[in-house]
Amino acid sequence: MAVTVGFSAKAADPIRVRGTVESLEGSTLSVKTREGTDAKIMLKDGWKVSSVAKASIDDIKPGDFVGIASLPTADGGDGALEVLIFPAAMKGTGEGSYAWDLKPNSSMTNATVADAVKSVDSRTVTVKYKGGEKKISIPDGTPVVTFAPATESDIKSGATVFIPSERAADGSMSTLRVVVGTHGIVPPM
């Protein structure tokens, strides 16, 4: 006799939590979100913490893998809101171009820099990813960062965090990664 077991649970939904740390107790991180709500995020076994370090637009070279949050511009292109230069070991992370929630109508493009052209007040990069390419203007003053080391002790009350998380069907949130602001540099993503 065969027994069929049905599952109605769906995969967890991705959610990005941005805000400030209220507390870290055991494996539960409490955050006051940028929207003003309280969030409790369970840190999964093996979770990692990193910070961001200031980088420069001049550090962006052809062949680098970057993550650029951007908004459409009046001239039909995209204008960067922030740029993350990934370490070489993270090349390919989240590759593609997709909707992002940094600002309304923003997108995130994780791709390899094919070309970087400097003009008077900005730099335009052409980035290529599986299935496409995009030209993005990076105006002077746009935050440019890269990942840097951090420790659990950096996750303290008042620290700014960016936490790519998952929300389960029951509303609980969990993560494997916390990006924390240190030395006055906050995660701009």
Side-chain angles (χ1 to χ4, degrees):
M1 173 162 94
V3 176
T4 305
V5 178
F7 291 96
S8 61
K10 63 179 183 127
D13 292 323
I15 182 170
R16 291 171 283 278
V17 178
R18 297 170 179 90
T20 55
V21 173
E22 292 190 316
S23 67
L24 174 59
E25 296 175 12
S27 61
T28 302
L29 178 58
S30 297
V31 174
K32 178 67 81 176
T33 69
R34 70 176 179 179
E35 294 81 14
T37 61
D38 294 318
K40 292 207 180 296
I41 302 146
M42 178 63 67
L43 303 174
K44 296 179 183 180
D45 288 344
W47 70 279
K48 307 261 188 255
V49 61
S50 62
S51 68
V52 288
K54 188 174 174 87
S56 163
I57 196 166
D58 293 326
D59 295 330
I60 302 168
K61 307 281 188 259
D64 286 348
F65 192 76
V66 296
I68 305 176
S70 63
L71 280 172
T73 61
D75 66 5
D78 279 307
L81 299 169
E82 62 85 21
V83 179
L84 170 68
I85 303 170
F86 283 94
M90 294 182 74
K91 188 169 186 160
T93 301
E95 185 173 8
S97 189
Y98 37 85
W100 195 245
D101 58 358
L102 185 59
K103 290 190 174 185
N105 301 317
S106 64
S107 63
M108 175 59 73
T109 304
N110 288 5
T112 301
V113 176
D115 189 23
V117 179
K118 188 168 177 60
S119 62
V120 174
D121 60 353
S122 69
R123 180 166 304 202
T124 299
V125 294
T126 301
V127 292
K128 293 186 177 191
Y129 51 91
K130 289 178 188 148
E133 76 174 36
K134 203 174 202 184
K135 285 186 188 278
I136 304 173
S137 171
I138 306 172
D140 288 346
T142 300
V144 179
V145 298
T146 189
F147 284 125
T151 64
E152 186 174 327
S153 65
D154 291 316
I155 303 173
K156 54 190 166 207
S157 181
T160 303
V161 290
F162 170 78
I163 309 165
S165 306
E166 296 176 340
R167 185 186 312 268
D170 66 2
S172 64
M173 290 184 283
S174 61
T175 190
L176 276 169
R177 184 170 182 84
V178 176
V179 181
V180 62
T182 59
H183 309 293
I185 308 296
V186 299
M189 63 285 278

